[in-house]
Amino acid sequence: MATIFRKTEKGLAEIETRAHRLPPRLRAALIMVDGKRSSDELRTLISSQADETLAALVAQGYIDKLAEVAAPVPKPAAPSGIPSRPGASSLPPDTTRGPEFTLLKRQLVREFNDLTGPTGEVLAIRLEKAVDRQALATLLPAAGEFIASVRGAGKASEFRQRFADQLEFA
């Protein structure tokens, strides 16, 4: 069984005010907790020591358990007949929502967080709230500009190109 976590009042206050000065690793994990992702999904998003990070957030009162859910059934492999080119998505063009979109958004937000750290949290939250490919594509230029200001034009260009290719059907 997997656990769904949600932010507590203390966790929400920390996101808004940074009053408790969480270390960046804990803060980044706290940002990813949304009351929808299971502990299994959070483990894939949290770069290292996921179980310890979640346990620390629970122990310190920033998150709590919302529900227990059954582990997801593995999905069959995607058909191999989908044409692809380097850097392009192998997702079907008509997939604007659903599990494929959720995976794409998760990858984009994770890479954005990796590149910007806590300084990009406001934009990371906006990226997480995108409901479809069009909304995510609209935020991509701002994400690229932010990355350029933090990590340089080269990293920003790589980020924009990688995700623009995947959002081209938006």
Side-chain angles (χ1 to χ4, degrees):
M1 302 263 331
T3 303
I4 304 289
F5 291 102
R6 66 177 176 151
K7 292 178 186 85
T8 62
E9 290 297 319
K10 181 178 179 182
L12 292 169
E14 175 61 19
I15 293 297
E16 289 183 25
T17 66
R18 297 180 185 230
H20 301 283
R21 301 191 190 283
L22 273 177
R25 180 176 59 89
L26 292 177
R27 185 169 180 76
L30 179 61
I31 290 168
M32 291 182 230
V33 172
D34 63 0
K36 297 175 187 168
R37 292 184 178 122
S38 71
S39 53
D40 294 338
E41 291 173 303
L42 289 168
R43 280 186 199 98
T44 63
L45 293 173
I46 298 171
S47 58
S48 66
Q49 301 175 331
D51 290 328
E52 294 84 359
T53 300
L54 292 172
L57 290 172
V58 169
Q60 295 176 30
Y62 293 103
I63 63 173
D64 61 13
K65 292 180 183 180
L66 180 63
E68 295 283 331
V69 294
V73 177
K75 295 180 183 178
S80 60
I82 298 174
S84 64
R85 60 185 188 281
S89 171
S90 61
L91 303 176
D94 60 344
T95 307
T96 59
R97 295 180 187 216
E100 294 87 2
F101 168 71
T102 302
L103 179 60
L104 172 62
K105 181 170 65 168
R106 187 178 305 143
Q107 291 169 339
L108 186 144
V109 171
R110 182 174 186 175
E111 185 166 333
F112 180 81
N113 280 330
D114 288 347
L115 290 168
T116 64
T119 61
E121 82 179 77
V122 172
L123 186 51
I125 291 170
R126 289 179 56 206
L127 290 165
E128 284 183 349
K129 289 182 179 180
V131 296
D132 59 22
R133 286 178 181 262
Q134 182 61 44
L136 205 53
T138 302
L139 293 169
L140 189 61
E145 288 177 28
F146 194 89
I147 292 168
S149 71
V150 175
R151 298 290 301 267
K155 290 286 186 185
S157 178
E158 290 172 15
F159 176 85
R160 278 190 295 254
Q161 187 60 46
R162 180 170 29 266
F163 290 105
D165 285 348
Q166 295 185 50
L167 293 169
E168 71 185 22
F169 301 112

